[in-house]
Amino acid sequence: MNVRKIIIDTDPGQDDAVAILLALASPEEIEVLGITCVAGNVPLELTVRNARMVCELAGRRDVKVFAGCDRPLDRDLVTAEHVHGKTGLDGPDLPEPTMPLQDMRAVEFIIETLRKEPASSVTLVPIGPLTNIATAFRMAPDIVRKVHEIVLMGGAYFEVGNITPAAEFNIHVDPHAADLVFRAGVPIVVMPLDVTHKALVTRARNDAFRAIGNRVGTAVAEMTDFFERYDREKYGSDGAPLHDPCTVAYLIRPELFSGRHVNVEIETGSELTMGMTVADWWGVTDRAANALFIGNLDADGFFELLTERLARL
Ligand code: RIB
Ligand code: CA
């Protein structure tokens, strides 16, 4: 398998952390060119802290981490401490990071990397609000055609919203950024709540993380123990949904996932449905399909892959 070069754009967040760990544990399939941080689950000063803590947990102080946008394009920032805790990485007791944050800004890194790397050789993996990606596309439209693919976590259709009745958090926080990205013409794979709510860290799966016996397995078990209480209370679900790792798992084993190429447009007009991903699942319009909208996964296969890879760190 060719190694896929990726940029992870993230707002850690416990599930972001697991996605980053899975990517760093899979060098045969994935080369992480850099991690660009964005405000989302918690403010930017915490997402840049958390991203570096996760890299150090993985023993990867060499990874380049960049600070990005600290607020959405045209709206006030909405955060999710009620889900992720006040630090955004509540659960494990991890040391403060000592690895450096890069001087270059995240948007500049995205632009420079896409200009420098061969066309269609870089995949963008946004797992937070799309502010950095949209800003880079706005500042440097020439890079849009250089992107191989965008594999993002965000949106919802049959599963409806998690931050409002209509919208999923990542898209709701910056709907204008999402609208720009979904209209950009880059091939997009969407991991919406429709599939991520089927990736639940049941007690047995959490026990399997602990049974790995390394500090990564223990930390991930502690993260998901903390992270799950919100979804248990709200949905009565049988564990925390591992939203963001679905993107990285797709890069490694796409056969674990299934979906449909459909048109997806973003609500940016009505406050009632702001940030809703309107997926034309039944093809009732003549709007061109612009996204592979994933609806299902082999959950056991997903957790087997994740547990096996975390054991490598
Ligand atoms: O709605 C789930 C998404 O919002 C995940 O990316 C989670 O980390 C939060 O950012
Ligand atoms: Ca996230």
Side-chain angles (χ1 to χ4, degrees):
M1 171 186 244
N2 290 336
V3 176
R4 178 102 76 131
K5 292 179 181 178
I6 73 170
I7 295 173
I8 299 175
D9 191 73
T10 179
D11 63 335
Q14 290 87 351
D15 61 317
D16 302 68
V18 181
I20 293 166
L21 292 168
L22 177 57
L24 296 178
S26 307
E28 301 91 345
E29 296 95 350
I30 292 172
E31 178 186 356
V32 178
L33 299 178
I35 294 178
T36 52
C37 300
V38 67
N41 284 321
V42 287
L44 181 68
E45 61 268 18
L46 282 173
T47 60
V48 297
R49 164 193 180 264
N50 296 343
R52 286 177 291 152
M53 285 167 71
V54 174
C55 289
E56 291 185 346
L57 173 64
R60 291 294 307 278
R61 296 174 50 84
D62 60 297
V63 175
K64 291 184 173 58
V65 177
F66 301 84
C69 299
D70 63 2
R71 54 158 299 146
L73 296 182
D74 302 320
R75 290 173 67 84
D76 292 338
L77 178 62
V78 171
T79 54
E81 288 87 348
H82 60 292
V83 180
H84 299 274
K86 66 180 177 16
T87 72
L89 209 56
D90 285 24
D93 182 14
L94 298 175
E96 289 300 312
T98 58
M99 65 185 277
L101 182 65
Q102 299 298 308
D103 293 335
M104 181 183 289
R105 299 297 296 179
V107 170
E108 189 185 347
F109 170 74
I110 293 167
I111 294 170
E112 181 183 271
T113 302
L114 283 166
R115 283 179 170 160
K116 182 177 65 177
E117 294 290 337
S120 199
S121 67
V122 176
T123 296
L124 301 179
V125 183
I127 50 178
L130 289 162
T131 317
N132 288 342
I133 310 300
T135 303
F137 284 6
R138 256 185 181 171
M139 287 175 64
D142 61 288
I143 68 172
V144 173
R145 60 180 169 73
K146 297 288 294 291
V147 181
H148 173 63
E149 188 172 51
I150 295 173
V151 181
L152 67 86
M153 191 279 142
Y157 190 61
F158 296 104
E159 193 69 5
V160 297
N162 61 357
I163 191 75
T164 74
E168 177 277 329
F169 180 80
N170 288 340
I171 308 299
H172 177 75
V173 167
D174 199 340
H176 302 96
D179 185 46
L180 189 152
V181 170
F182 274 75
R183 292 180 186 277
V186 176
I188 298 179
V189 178
V190 182
M191 293 288 167
L193 298 179
D194 303 59
V195 65
T196 68
H197 277 181
K198 297 171 184 172
L200 299 178
V201 184
T202 61
R203 183 49 41 202
R205 289 164 178 165
N206 187 281
D207 290 346
F209 291 152
R210 286 185 194 282
I212 292 172
N214 64 7
R215 60 183 191 153
V216 168
T218 303
V220 166
E222 291 168 343
M223 285 182 204
T224 51
D225 269 343
F226 180 88
F227 179 54
E228 77 171 11
R229 79 211 186 292
Y230 173 78
D231 290 84
R232 278 189 186 281
E233 285 163 22
K234 177 171 180 175
Y235 298 103
S237 56
D238 184 21
L242 275 187
H243 307 288
D244 294 337
C246 287
T247 58
V248 176
Y250 176 85
L251 297 177
I252 299 168
R253 290 193 55 199
E255 70 277 9
L256 291 175
F257 298 87
S258 61
R260 187 180 291 186
H261 271 102
V262 296
N263 176 269
V264 179
E265 297 204 2
I266 312 298
E267 174 65 74
T268 58
S270 155
E271 278 304 328
L272 179 64
T273 52
M274 184 61 70
M276 180 177 180
T277 45
V278 182
D280 184 6
W281 189 261
W282 302 112
V284 297
T285 74
D286 58 0
R287 297 195 292 252
N290 59 341
L292 174 60
F293 203 79
I294 301 295
N296 222 330
L297 88 164
D298 167 357
D300 288 337
F302 170 75
F303 279 96
E304 280 162 27
L305 170 68
L306 179 55
T307 306
E308 180 266 322
R309 293 299 164 99
L310 294 177
R312 296 183 178 187
L313 293 173

